[in-house]
Amino acid sequence: MRKIIISAGHGGTDPGASGNSYIERDLALELRTLIVNQLKTLYNVDALIDPPQNKLTDTLSWLRGKFGSTDILFDIHWNAGGGTGIECIVPDQSSQFERTLSQAIVDRISALTTWKKRAGGVKPESDTARKKLGWMRPNAENILLEVCFIDNKLDMAIYQANKVGIAKIIAEVLYKF
Ligand SMILES: [Zn+2]
């Protein structure tokens, strides 16, 4: 069975983005806890989580030796910068598994929340502002979710109203894949 490793993106001294009086690090930690609890409650699956104070570089070192190429590395982020909607990021040389799982997550969450799927919902890392993402490097199934825009009031109101449903969808898709 594949291991499921869920990272809350930023952590510790790295807060990530902020907006609408939210901090990305704290939102991601909360959503991760919701997903971990759903995996346990619905499927009796124990996801692996990195320590909450870890920054990305700490997480990448923490991960070393803990997983193999078929395990799922799922990283949670929020977008910022004036847009709206949901998307998943996959490596430039993505696997069919990475693309299909990402599309399923985006499609189902978009159906629940009415969030727009940005550029179809799944994009390669070279289409992101940073071009290269450390999270895409480990030899595993690498998926990075940008839940919605932290600086968009409506995105965040919809998120708050649906976060348990969103966590259930992610848990179900991660488990069924
Ligand atoms: Zn982020």
Side-chain angles (χ1 to χ4, degrees):
M1 162 128 201
R2 296 174 197 271
K3 284 183 201 159
I4 300 173
I5 298 134
I6 307 178
S7 167
H10 307 269
T13 54
D14 166 23
S18 56
N20 287 311
S21 65
Y22 291 112
I23 295 170
E24 183 183 3
R25 172 193 60 207
D26 301 341
L27 287 171
L29 284 171
E30 183 196 36
L31 179 58
R32 175 170 72 175
T33 301
L34 292 172
I35 298 167
V36 167
N37 292 345
Q38 293 293 342
L39 278 166
K40 188 69 184 168
T41 311
L42 298 174
Y43 308 111
N44 199 29
V45 167
D46 292 303
L48 286 167
I49 59 168
D50 61 308
Q53 70 277 12
N54 274 8
K55 302 181 300 241
L56 174 64
T57 46
D58 302 331
T59 301
L60 292 174
S61 353
W62 176 87
L63 280 169
R64 238 161 256 150
K66 290 197 174 61
F67 63 93
S69 60
T70 60
D71 293 332
I72 303 175
L73 297 189
F74 188 77
D75 197 18
I76 305 166
H77 286 260
W78 259 258
N79 241 323
T84 179
I86 181 170
E87 64 193 5
C88 270
I89 317 294
V90 295
D92 284 337
Q93 310 292 329
S94 57
S95 65
Q96 179 73 37
F97 180 92
E98 287 166 333
R99 291 190 299 275
T100 315
L101 186 150
S102 296
Q103 195 68 56
I105 284 180
V106 168
D107 287 351
R108 293 208 34 208
I109 294 178
S110 172
L112 173 74
T113 59
T114 70
W115 283 332
K116 165 181 129 159
K117 294 182 246 179
R118 297 172 57 76
V122 180
K123 59 162 79 147
E125 59 178 318
S126 55
D127 286 359
T128 64
R130 282 195 205 110
K131 307 289 179 205
K132 284 271 164 207
L133 303 173
W135 190 252
M136 301 285 123
R137 298 286 78 78
N139 181 24
E141 303 291 7
N142 306 296
I143 288 138
L144 188 157
L145 172 66
E146 298 272 11
V147 177
C148 66
F149 276 73
I150 198 169
D151 53 352
N152 181 303
K153 264 202 163 47
L154 182 59
D155 273 16
M156 287 309 299
I158 292 173
Y159 172 73
Q160 289 298 348
N162 289 283
K163 59 190 174 188
V164 174
I166 290 168
K168 269 190 191 152
I169 288 172
I170 296 170
E172 188 188 330
V173 174
L174 289 176
Y175 175 72
K176 295 208 163 141
F177 272 65

